Amino acid sequence: MRLTRTRLFTGAVGLASLLTLFEASTPGLSFWALVLALYWLVLAIGWAWLLGRRARASWMVVPLALVLGTVLLVKVDAPLHARFALSQPSLERHARSVRDDYASRRWWGLYRVGEVEKISGGARFLVTSLTMDGRSYGFAYSPDRVPDPQEGRYEHFKGPWYVWSDGI
């Protein structure tokens, strides 16, 4: 089977979609989002070039579907909710057993947890530390009460879980 420019382009769009969905599956935007934005820009330029070279546009169906699907999934926060749902049992098990603060640097579910901190009534986990807005992001587990705003910024996520951010 001969690889054509359009097949290579479709593969490049598929890779960009997968990387974008992975980036969108954590709270906060890491610096990798800038690299992804540049990659998407190069793809858009390549798309315009390929479109200009071909009279027929039937080859665009698959890349266009990938782009639209990626945009839709990111818009409704599907990657974040899906990755969290698959990781929730592991994160909750560890949240219930946290005694002190410590650096974890371990995978709990599908998240690499950098630090774990005990907070009143629960625990919080650092999952994104190098972000474009200078904040650290993670999840907080607080089944008994809303976490204290003096300990960071908290936004309710689902059930006893919150997305927290700390920093600038």
Side-chain angles (χ1 to χ4, degrees):
M1 182 168 82
R2 196 175 127 230
L3 284 177
T4 63
R5 283 185 213 132
T6 56
R7 287 185 183 151
L8 287 173
F9 180 77
T10 301
V13 170
L15 177 63
S17 293
L18 286 174
L19 292 173
T20 301
L21 294 174
F22 184 75
E23 173 64 29
S25 70
T26 58
L29 284 176
S30 74
F31 285 105
W32 283 109
L34 289 174
V35 174
L36 274 171
L38 290 173
Y39 185 44
W40 279 109
L41 180 62
V42 168
L43 287 175
I45 293 167
W47 196 323
W49 180 78
L50 282 172
L51 195 56
R53 291 184 48 97
R54 300 199 117 188
R56 275 186 341 193
S58 62
W59 66 271
M60 284 187 359
V61 173
V62 174
L64 185 59
L66 286 169
V67 170
L68 293 176
T70 301
V71 169
L72 177 65
L73 289 172
V74 169
K75 182 74 177 157
V76 298
D77 276 339
L80 178 64
H81 286 278
R83 188 173 178 186
F84 181 82
L86 293 170
S87 303
Q88 186 177 356
S90 178
L91 289 170
E92 192 165 328
R93 183 175 54 252
H94 290 290
R96 292 176 186 268
S97 66
V98 169
R99 305 225 188 307
D100 294 315
D101 303 349
Y102 63 94
S104 172
R105 311 242 188 285
R106 302 166 94 181
W107 287 91
W108 289 352
L110 299 175
Y111 289 105
R112 182 168 167 86
V113 176
E115 294 177 14
V116 179
E117 184 178 352
K118 183 160 184 60
I119 58 173
S120 338
R124 66 184 185 182
F125 307 96
L126 173 72
V127 295
T128 312
S129 60
L130 296 173
T131 60
M132 290 191 288
D133 62 1
R135 294 183 182 167
S136 297
Y137 286 87
F139 297 104
Y141 177 76
S142 184
D144 300 328
R145 64 175 187 82
V146 175
D148 186 359
Q150 293 180 352
E151 298 173 346
R153 293 180 184 98
Y154 293 91
E155 182 182 323
H156 186 258
F157 187 60
K158 86 180 227 186
W161 289 95
Y162 297 81
V163 171
W164 72 270
S165 63
D166 199 13
I168 301 170

